[in-house]
Amino acid sequence: MFHKTRLFTPGPTPLLPAAQFAMAAADLHHRTPEFRALYRRVLGQLRTFVGTQNDVILLTSSGTGAMEASVANLTSPGDRVLVLTAGKFGERWTSLAKAFGCQVDVVSAAYGQTFSLDAVQAALREDTRAVFMQATETSTGVRHDVQAVAELLRSTGSEALLVVDAITGLGTTHLDMDAWGVDILIGGSQKAVMIPPGLAYLAASERAWKRMETTKNPRYYFDLRKERKAASNGESAYTPSVALIAALGAALDYIGAQAEGDLARGRELLVENAELCAAMTRAAALALGMRLFAPAAPAAAVTALLPPEGVDSGVIVKELKSRFGAIATNGQGEMKGHIFRVAHLGFFDPLDTLALIGALEHVTADSLPASKFKLGDALTAAQRVFAESRQAETAAVGR
Ligand SMILES: *Cc1c(COP(=O)(O)O)cnc(C)c1O
């Protein structure tokens, strides 16, 4: 049998062919008018994609670079900060803030859950300088309520800046940074924007830029004010990943083209697409006798599933790959062997999702001969979700 390798991982995600061609053709020097035109265009597109009037900064680094930049630029040694965490990426905020000498308060929730707003309110102190969280926690497949945290901070009159790792949240979740009062919103290239790893981007509010003028933590490569100044001249401070920037431009063109060139609308369609693929996957998993790891607040970026009782999630991941060439991911850290994850962010569509569900039926049936479902049960459940969404769409167009 032929196996076509397909990524179902929440980063890196499948590559957009048009972006790959743009990369291959990007034979540009970064201190030229040609590059400056490209850079200005992509920064403008990114601003629309993020959905903000704020300046967007592009960094040649993985997503964690933008997380580090946020901590390094917004804090001073000894600052009290609050980390909201319910997974591996939340824990990364704690490690980063400690590495930069902050006093770190933590509100945590169990893996698979989101934290309570009451706990956040109780942990907020008068001298809390910044709050760090994820929009979606990729390690557990949970969506956190960014809007509610932002509103809480504003309603309590807190001086704390709100920093949101939306690396898998952008393009999968409706986010309104400016209206909600988010101070930093972070994205990464190997997630919803369909290109390889190597770029991170962030939008920063005027409050955040102001804070950077007085903070004392060290920064050099990740000096955001230096990057902002360079960007105003159409350049980056150091040699950027020119090829990835060309790819990003092509990917944002593609997302805009889904809505006749309206990139903001294209982003909404990308979010709705991820939501649909996620809903199809959840329905299918339940039909297979699996449980959702994050039933109360599931992310659209990635679905985390508990395999049927007695089956190691690693076996599912291994069999999906060896029998179908489908690359899903195991749980991270303590969650390894207990959950597996299937992504929906970026260049996925319902057809990819149906294919994965079909493969999952075979793999689950083989690993659990006494299972109660028949081949087709999960596909039927997913098809039903798909049909309902099509009906809703038709009704909306007819109105
Ligand atoms: C992928 C990811 C990151 C960044 O990881 P890098 O490997 O540094 O790109 C950070 N936060 C979340 C929620 C992610 O999904």
Side-chain angles (χ1 to χ4, degrees), residues 49-381:
F49 182 72
V50 172
T52 183
Q53 302 294 320
N54 293 316
D55 282 351
V56 177
I57 301 298
L58 198 47
L59 299 166
T60 292
S61 74
S62 84
T64 306
M67 294 173 74
E68 173 156 339
S70 306
V71 175
N73 284 266
L74 294 182
T75 68
S76 302
D79 273 5
R80 179 183 289 282
V81 303
L82 177 61
V83 171
L84 313 181
T85 172
K88 292 291 152 198
F89 291 101
E91 288 158 21
R92 188 168 298 179
W93 277 132
T94 306
S95 307
L96 264 168
K98 284 187 175 158
F100 281 87
C102 297
Q103 295 181 65
V104 185
D105 296 325
V106 175
V107 168
S108 59
Y111 292 165
Q113 293 171 26
T114 188
F115 28 79
S116 87
L117 272 192
D118 291 343
V120 178
Q121 181 154 22
L124 210 53
R125 308 267 204 98
E126 205 161 314
D127 58 345
T128 303
R129 301 283 285 160
V131 175
F132 296 93
M133 69 182 292
Q134 270 64 40
T136 51
E137 173 53 73
T138 316
S139 68
T140 63
V142 165
R143 188 178 72 86
H144 297 313
D145 194 342
V146 175
Q147 184 175 13
V149 173
E151 275 169 9
L152 175 68
L153 290 179
R154 299 305 153 242
S155 71
T156 54
S158 170
E159 291 286 299
L161 298 176
L162 178 57
V163 180
V164 179
D165 162 4
I167 294 176
T168 53
L170 276 161
T172 67
T173 314
H174 296 288
L175 298 166
D176 193 345
M177 165 176 202
D178 298 357
W180 299 350
V182 173
D183 294 293
I184 300 257
L185 198 70
I186 303 171
S189 59
Q190 79 274 32
K191 310 282 176 141
V193 290
M194 315 173 184
I195 65 171
L199 289 180
Y201 51 96
L202 64 82
S205 71
E206 277 314 313
R207 284 181 4 134
W209 290 113
K210 197 143 178 281
R211 175 74 61 86
M212 289 180 223
E213 287 169 18
T214 56
T215 48
K216 303 269 182 318
N217 256 321
R219 62 204 89 146
Y220 188 86
Y221 183 73
F222 290 128
D223 187 334
L224 293 176
R225 290 197 299 160
K226 194 161 48 182
E227 283 298 344
R228 187 191 202 189
K229 189 152 176 275
S232 72
N233 295 317
E235 295 195 359
S236 61
Y238 309 103
T239 312
S241 177
V242 174
L244 285 173
I245 291 165
L248 182 55
L252 294 171
D253 284 347
Y254 171 80
I255 295 168
Q258 302 304 307
E260 284 113 42
D262 179 350
L263 179 53
R265 179 69 195 132
R267 178 201 60 219
E268 297 307 301
L269 293 176
L270 185 65
V271 172
E272 287 164 21
N273 178 69
E275 284 174 340
L276 174 57
C277 293
M280 289 166 66
T281 303
R282 290 195 297 269
L286 295 176
L288 293 178
M290 299 187 183
R291 280 185 298 132
L292 307 176
F293 189 56
V302 57
T303 299
L305 297 168
L306 291 149
E309 208 70 46
V311 179
D312 185 301
S313 67
V315 172
I316 304 243
V317 171
K318 196 164 147 263
E319 292 295 308
L320 280 173
K321 180 174 184 198
S322 65
R323 294 190 48 200
F324 294 99
I327 318 293
T329 24
N330 207 323
Q332 286 170 257
E334 306 87 304
M335 292 171 276
K336 192 165 182 193
H338 300 292
I339 62 170
F340 69 101
R341 293 170 297 150
V342 178
H344 322 291
L345 75 170
F347 194 43
F348 289 104
D349 66 8
L351 200 54
D352 296 320
T353 304
L354 286 173
L356 189 271
I357 290 167
L360 198 54
E361 286 189 334
H362 284 285
V363 166
T364 310
D366 291 356
S367 63
L368 205 70
S371 55
K372 293 195 194 66
F373 69 89
K374 301 187 301 301
L375 288 181
D377 285 356
L379 281 165
T380 302

Side-chain angles (χ1 to χ4, degrees), residues 391-399:
Q391 277 160 12
E393 207 171 281
T394 313
V397 171
R399 222 176 280 142

Side-chain angles (χ1 to χ4, degrees), residues 10-21:
T13 60
L15 301 178
L16 178 75
Q20 292 175 281
F21 297 140

